[in-house]
Amino acid sequence: MTRASFRFPDGFHWGAATSAYQIEGSPLADGAGPSIWQRFTHTPGMTANGDTGDIACDHYRRYKGDVQLMKALGLHGYRFSINWARVLPEGPGRVNPKGLDFYSRLVDELLENGIVPHATLFHWDLPAALDDRGGWLNRDSAHWFAEYAQVMFKALDDRVPRWGTLNEPWVVTDGGYLHGALAPGHRSKYEAPIAAHNLMRASGAGIQAYRAHGKHEIGVVFNIEPKYPHSDSAEDLAATRRAHAYMNEQFADPALLGSYPPELQEIFGDAWPDFPDDDFKLTKQEVDFVGINYYTRAVVKQQADAYPLQAVPVGQPNKTYTETGWEVFEQGLTDTLIWFKQRYGDIPLYITENGSAFYDPPVAENGELDDPLRTSYLRKHLKALHRAIEAGVNLKGYYAWSLMDNLEWSLGFAKRFGLYHVDFATQQRTPKATAKLYARVIESNGAVLDD
Ligand code: BGC
């Protein structure tokens, strides 16, 4: 038998991902405290259509059915996040056993169905009680996070073999502290580097706690968006370097190299703090893996009045763009993985998110939903991933974003990334054509991509 060219290595881990606030609903149930996302979505004008996570996919109550959706796809693993404020409603101190119990039941349900749980400790929903104490601007946040992490490790590490500290700290600080489009909605170039630094101190403190209490694997997840210059002018090349340092190195460097790239000082000027050297002993910890979330690239040009990078993305003619305005550019995934290995060494990697929002037609009478643009996106990106493996990248697995349509943060429910379509009026889930392709990819370990 000839070997299919897109077959993935034996043991390759196929999964799908979600996050707590985007799917769970019942945000204040069973003694949970509010998170900053609860507050943000309930502040008029902050989300499209006034959408909130009050119900979302009602996963908090329907999790057993959702595990069956995963099983129907043949998923090996499921990456979900824990809502910190369910577990520690007042920030530090009192543990809420009912909040903890939800995640314990979810993990048991996954294991009973042969699905490996991958738990993320922080996917943006900081307890509001901690935001009231300054949130990520407070240096104590590293201790708060380590305390929370410890509670979770003690409760679940016997059953959860793979943990992530933070999901996409860049988005937290760029959206939450620099531009204000995401919770907690601040707009300050003075705050953003401080929040970023404390996030990486917290991640480091969480990993240290894991070494004391955990027995399996822990890592951290970065969103990487490769930057390509619009022209080879010195200005555009410098702008591209700044954009790349800001988005792709600002978090991975302190975590994996114990330093910051020099461009950050250039970008932030007087807002760039003089961080104590000792902090880097905390930020730089040995990780068992790194998760990379990849969606798109940016082509960059210099623009003097663009705050604060003096760089802007340039639209590309004759390219497909998703509903979130992102160019479909699969070569960027291969390039990203190769770059990551070159800069940070041969760390085991997972693609912890990859996917696309496209307009979906209503479910047809025969129960089918054809989503050709998303299907094509998945095919192209899996092939690009395979090319990275052939180039020697140590890639262990892939999690599609997302298991099902959900609350796309401030963009509301209109942007649909799901493998499963969700009718938010009835909570009916329907597999899209992409879900069916993905099930065949998993079953054939990629060989179906040869067709
Ligand atoms: C986040 C997800 C989000 C997705 C699509 C990532 O930045 O981790 O929560 O829904 O991208 O925007």
Tab-separated table of all heavy atoms in Angstrom, residues 230-249:
chain	number	residue	atom	x	y	z
A	230	HIS	N	5.188	45.194	3.448
A	230	HIS	CA	4.463	45.634	2.257
A	230	HIS	C	5.425	45.943	1.113
A	230	HIS	O	5.132	45.721	-0.062
A	230	HIS	CB	3.651	46.874	2.645
A	230	HIS	CG	2.986	47.551	1.509
A	230	HIS	ND1	2.028	46.949	0.734
A	230	HIS	CD2	3.132	48.822	1.004
A	230	HIS	CE1	1.610	47.795	-0.195
A	230	HIS	NE2	2.273	48.930	-0.049
A	231	SER	N	6.600	46.489	1.459
A	231	SER	CA	7.618	46.771	0.431
A	231	SER	C	8.969	46.546	1.093
A	231	SER	O	9.033	46.320	2.303
A	231	SER	CB	7.528	48.234	-0.030
A	231	SER	OG	8.143	49.076	0.942
A	232	ASP	N	10.058	46.637	0.324
A	232	ASP	CA	11.343	46.487	1.007
A	232	ASP	C	11.990	47.831	1.329
A	232	ASP	O	13.202	47.920	1.500
A	232	ASP	CB	12.277	45.502	0.292
A	232	ASP	CG	12.424	45.811	-1.171
A	232	ASP	OD1	12.099	46.964	-1.537
A	232	ASP	OD2	12.873	44.935	-1.927
A	233	SER	N	11.161	48.862	1.471
A	233	SER	CA	11.714	50.141	1.936
A	233	SER	C	12.170	49.978	3.390
A	233	SER	O	11.601	49.161	4.138
A	233	SER	CB	10.663	51.258	1.855
A	233	SER	OG	9.687	51.077	2.855
A	234	ALA	N	13.163	50.769	3.787
A	234	ALA	CA	13.671	50.675	5.166
A	234	ALA	C	12.548	50.942	6.160
A	234	ALA	O	12.459	50.302	7.218
A	234	ALA	CB	14.811	51.674	5.362
A	235	GLU	N	11.636	51.869	5.820
A	235	GLU	CA	10.533	52.220	6.735
A	235	GLU	C	9.598	51.027	6.932
A	235	GLU	O	9.208	50.710	8.052
A	235	GLU	CB	9.711	53.406	6.189
A	235	GLU	CG	10.418	54.739	6.191
A	235	GLU	CD	11.400	54.874	5.022
A	235	GLU	OE1	11.339	54.046	4.077
A	235	GLU	OE2	12.241	55.777	5.087
A	236	ASP	N	9.219	50.382	5.832
A	236	ASP	CA	8.288	49.256	5.946
A	236	ASP	C	8.949	48.068	6.652
A	236	ASP	O	8.289	47.347	7.425
A	236	ASP	CB	7.767	48.827	4.568
A	236	ASP	CG	6.747	49.822	4.014
A	236	ASP	OD1	6.343	50.739	4.772
A	236	ASP	OD2	6.365	49.698	2.840
A	237	LEU	N	10.230	47.876	6.394
A	237	LEU	CA	10.912	46.759	7.070
A	237	LEU	C	10.969	47.013	8.576
A	237	LEU	O	10.722	46.109	9.382
A	237	LEU	CB	12.325	46.567	6.507
A	237	LEU	CG	12.383	46.049	5.058
A	237	LEU	CD1	13.829	46.033	4.548
A	237	LEU	CD2	11.771	44.651	4.934
A	238	ALA	N	11.236	48.258	8.956
A	238	ALA	CA	11.303	48.573	10.392
A	238	ALA	C	9.917	48.456	11.021
A	238	ALA	O	9.764	47.956	12.140
A	238	ALA	CB	11.874	49.981	10.595
A	239	ALA	N	8.890	48.906	10.297
A	239	ALA	CA	7.510	48.814	10.817
A	239	ALA	C	7.125	47.344	11.012
A	239	ALA	O	6.485	46.974	12.002
A	239	ALA	CB	6.553	49.494	9.847
A	240	THR	N	7.532	46.507	10.082
A	240	THR	CA	7.218	45.073	10.164
A	240	THR	C	7.911	44.454	11.374
A	240	THR	O	7.329	43.644	12.105
A	240	THR	CB	7.663	44.369	8.863
A	240	THR	OG1	7.046	45.040	7.769
A	240	THR	CG2	7.272	42.910	8.846
A	241	ARG	N	9.149	44.866	11.610
A	241	ARG	CA	9.890	44.353	12.767
A	241	ARG	C	9.205	44.758	14.072
A	241	ARG	O	9.074	43.960	15.002
A	241	ARG	CB	11.330	44.866	12.729
A	241	ARG	CG	12.329	43.764	12.986
A	241	ARG	CD	13.778	44.185	12.997
A	241	ARG	NE	14.044	45.539	13.395
A	241	ARG	CZ	14.480	46.490	12.571
A	241	ARG	NH1	14.696	46.219	11.298
A	241	ARG	NH2	14.720	47.706	13.014
A	242	ARG	N	8.746	46.018	14.121
A	242	ARG	CA	8.053	46.475	15.342
A	242	ARG	C	6.759	45.681	15.561
A	242	ARG	O	6.476	45.224	16.672
A	242	ARG	CB	7.698	47.970	15.239
A	242	ARG	CG	8.877	48.908	15.414
A	242	ARG	CD	8.410	50.351	15.653
A	242	ARG	NE	7.622	50.913	14.557
A	242	ARG	CZ	8.127	51.432	13.437
A	242	ARG	NH1	9.439	51.458	13.253
A	242	ARG	NH2	7.335	51.927	12.507
A	243	ALA	N	5.989	45.517	14.491
A	243	ALA	CA	4.707	44.800	14.620
A	243	ALA	C	4.944	43.364	15.072
A	243	ALA	O	4.206	42.814	15.904
A	243	ALA	CB	3.957	44.835	13.297
A	244	HIS	N	5.997	42.761	14.544
A	244	HIS	CA	6.327	41.376	14.886
A	244	HIS	C	6.779	41.270	16.355
A	244	HIS	O	6.329	40.385	17.095
A	244	HIS	CB	7.424	40.899	13.932
A	244	HIS	CG	7.958	39.553	14.236
A	244	HIS	ND1	7.187	38.415	14.154
A	244	HIS	CD2	9.193	39.153	14.630
A	244	HIS	CE1	7.936	37.361	14.498
A	244	HIS	NE2	9.143	37.784	14.790
A	245	ALA	N	7.637	42.195	16.768
A	245	ALA	CA	8.112	42.160	18.164
A	245	ALA	C	6.948	42.362	19.121
A	245	ALA	O	6.817	41.672	20.134
A	245	ALA	CB	9.176	43.236	18.387
A	246	TYR	N	6.086	43.316	18.782
A	246	TYR	CA	4.952	43.659	19.653
A	246	TYR	C	3.998	42.477	19.817
A	246	TYR	O	3.587	42.137	20.925
A	246	TYR	CB	4.222	44.870	19.062
A	246	TYR	CG	2.922	45.175	19.756
A	246	TYR	CD1	2.904	45.533	21.105
A	246	TYR	CD2	1.702	45.098	19.076
A	246	TYR	CE1	1.709	45.795	21.756
A	246	TYR	CE2	0.509	45.365	19.720
A	246	TYR	CZ	0.514	45.702	21.061
A	246	TYR	OH	-0.672	45.955	21.708
A	247	MET	N	3.662	41.835	18.714
A	247	MET	CA	2.641	40.786	18.795
A	247	MET	C	3.232	39.400	19.052
A	247	MET	O	2.671	38.619	19.822
A	247	MET	CB	1.833	40.758	17.502
A	247	MET	CG	0.605	39.892	17.569
A	247	MET	SD	-0.482	40.341	16.210
A	247	MET	CE	-1.783	39.162	16.417
A	248	ASN	N	4.334	39.091	18.433
A	248	ASN	CA	4.796	37.694	18.454
A	248	ASN	C	5.922	37.419	19.448
A	248	ASN	O	6.157	36.271	19.805
A	248	ASN	CB	5.234	37.280	17.043
A	248	ASN	CG	4.080	37.416	16.053
A	248	ASN	OD1	2.918	37.250	16.427
A	248	ASN	ND2	4.398	37.738	14.809
A	249	GLU	N	6.644	38.465	19.851
A	249	GLU	CA	7.777	38.223	20.759
A	249	GLU	C	7.559	38.790	22.165
A	249	GLU	O	8.240	38.388	23.097
A	249	GLU	CB	9.061	38.823	20.160
A	249	GLU	CG	9.435	38.164	18.839
A	249	GLU	CD	10.624	38.810	18.139
A	249	GLU	OE1	11.045	39.916	18.545
A	249	GLU	OE2	11.123	38.209	17.176
